[in-house]
Amino acid sequence: MTASGTARRWRWPSTLRSRLFLILFAGLAIAYGLSFSILLLERYMSAKAVMLGTLESDLATSIAVVDRLPANERADWLDRLSRGNYRLVLGPGLPGVPDMSGRGAEIAERIEEAAGHKFPLKIESIPGDGKRLQGHLTLSDGSPLTIDVTPTGVMPVAKWLPYVFAVQMALLVLCTWFAVRQAIRPLGELAAAADALDPNQKGQPMSEVGPSEVAHAARAFNGMRERIAHYLEERVQILAAISHDLQTPITRMRLRADMADDSPERDKLVNDLREIERLVQDGIAYARSSHGNGEKTARIDLSSFIDSIAYDYQDTGKAVSVVGIVQGTASTKPHALRRILTNFIDNAIKFAGAAEISVERKGESDIAITVMDRGPGIPDDMLDAAMQPFFRLEQSRNRETGGTGLGLAIAQQLAGTIGGAVRLYNREGGGLAAEVTLRP
C-alpha cells in the first residue's frame, strides 16, 4: 500500500478531546507495556540464574554420589538423584550434534563445571525441539553416564495476573478520560460564553473558579466583555451627543429656509434639511434604544394591541392587515414593542407597498410576531448585515424611498431591552419577513 493510501486510511482525530485522549492513553499504555516487559525480562533472568545455579550444584553432587556407588547399586539411585531439569541415565545415551549456541552453551558450561573437569565429558544437542541436551561422561571405573538436561522456561505466570492487567488498563482509560475532561471542559465553557456574548445585554459573567490558568482566562474574558460594552456605550453616547447638538443648527436652517422666497432651490434645501433631521432623530432613537427607555413591563392583550397598530396605518391609507386569529396576552414593554413593529411595517411599506402582521405561539410560552411583505427581500448573505446600524441596500434604500439604515438596528436594540429577539428571513415566493420573539 502506498503512503497516500495509508494517509487516506488513517486520519488524525479532528477534536482536541480525542487527540489529547489518544496521546495520553498511547503514552501511558506504552510506558505501562515497557514496565511490564521489563518485569517479565527480569523474571526470566532471575529464573534462568536460579536454574543454572541449582543445576551446577545439584549435578555436581549427583555425579559425585553415582561415581562413589558400587556399579550394581547405581540404577537404584538414579531416580533419587535426578531433578526436574535433568535426569541421570546409565549408558551412552542418544546420538546428538555438537553444535550449540546461546542458552545451550551456558548449560554446557555449567555441566562442565559440575563435572569438575575430572571426567571426560562430551556435550551434544539432541535433534528435535532444540532445547534438550545430553552430557556424556565416563566414571572413574570406566562406566558411561549420560546427563539428560531439559531446561525449564520462565517461572509460570499466576492465573490472576491477566485479570489484574485488565483492571489496570480499565483504570488507565478512566483516569485518561477524566484528565482530558478536566482539561477540555474550561475550553467548552469559554466557547459557550463567547457564543452567548452580547455586549448590548447584561449577562452573567463567566465563572472565575478553578485552576489558576482557567481562572486567569475567565477573568481575561470577563474583562474583554466589559471593555467591549464600554466601547459600544461610548460610541452610542457620541452618536447621541452629535445628533442632539445637530438639532439646533438644523432648526435655524429650517427657519431661514422657510423665510426665503419660494423657488426650486428652496424646496430642495427644505427636503435636504428634512432628511438630515430624520437622520438625527433616528440617531437619537438608536442611542436611547441601546439603554432602554425606563419603561416598565405591563401585560397587554395581543389582539387589541396588534389591531390598534394596523388601524393607525389604515387610517392614513396604508395597506396594513392582520393575518390569522390573534388571541392571548403577553407581558412586555408596550411602547418598545410598538416601536419595533412600526419599524418593521415602515420598511415593508417603503419597499413593498403593503404589510401583513401575524402572531403565533412557539412552544409553550414564546410568542412570535411577524411582519411580512412581498417586496424584493434581502440577499441571504446580507441578512445579518441588515441588522447593523446605517446599513442600506443601494438598489432599494435610496433617496426616493427614504430610510437611514437605523430602523432594524433600533428594533434589535429594543428587542434586547424587552428580553426578545429579532430575526429576518426571506419568504417563499418572494418578500421579506421580520420576526420579533417575545419570551416570558
Side-chain angles (χ1 to χ4, degrees), residues 372-395:
M372 301 169 289
D373 64 55
R374 286 299 180 184
I378 298 176
D380 290 337
D381 58 347
M382 302 182 71
L383 287 173
D384 292 337
M387 304 300 297
Q388 300 301 318
F390 303 106
F391 175 84
R392 299 173 64 181
L393 288 175
E394 293 300 330
Q395 64 269 26

Side-chain angles (χ1 to χ4, degrees), residues 207-234:
S207 176
E208 298 180 0
V209 299
S212 58
E213 295 84 359
V214 175
H216 178 71
R219 286 193 297 269
F221 179 83
N222 291 334
M224 178 192 67
R225 184 174 65 174
E226 292 177 358
R227 289 192 297 272
I228 292 175
H230 178 68
Y231 295 152
L232 289 178
E233 184 177 359
E234 284 187 346

Side-chain angles (χ1 to χ4, degrees), residues 227-242 287 290-291:
R227 289 192 297 272
I228 292 175
H230 178 68
Y231 295 152
L232 289 178
E233 184 177 359
E234 284 187 346
R235 185 191 69 175
V236 172
Q237 289 176 351
I238 292 173
L239 175 62
I242 294 175
S290 65
H291 300 287

Side-chain angles (χ1 to χ4, degrees), residues 247-317:
Q247 286 182 317
T248 300
I250 291 174
T251 302
R252 290 199 300 264
M253 294 172 68
R254 281 288 304 273
L255 291 174
R256 293 170 182 170
D258 291 339
M259 295 173 62
D261 297 334
D262 292 337
S263 65
E265 288 75 13
R266 172 186 174 279
D267 295 337
K268 293 179 181 179
L269 178 60
V270 171
N271 290 334
D272 289 340
L273 289 174
R274 287 175 180 172
E275 185 175 351
I276 296 173
E277 188 174 13
R278 186 165 52 250
L279 177 60
V280 169
Q281 291 174 352
D282 286 345
I284 295 175
Y286 176 74
R288 290 175 177 173
S289 66
S290 65
H291 300 287
N293 54 6
E295 182 183 2
K296 295 183 179 180
T297 301
R299 181 167 292 276
I300 62 173
D301 180 77
L302 288 174
S303 178
S304 301
F305 184 80
I306 299 299
D307 286 342
S308 67
I309 295 177
Y311 292 154
D312 289 342
Y313 280 94
Q314 292 171 5
D315 290 342
T316 60

Side-chain angles (χ1 to χ4, degrees), residues 193-203 225 229 232 416:
D195 290 336
L197 178 62
D198 187 356
N200 297 318
Q201 296 184 5
K202 294 292 184 181
R225 184 174 65 174
L232 289 178

Side-chain angles (χ1 to χ4, degrees), residues 55-74:
L55 175 66
E56 181 179 352
S57 59
D58 290 350
L59 191 56
T61 302
S62 299
I63 293 174
V65 171
V66 171
D67 186 60
R68 287 177 174 76
L69 287 173
N72 57 351
E73 297 181 7
R74 289 173 179 169

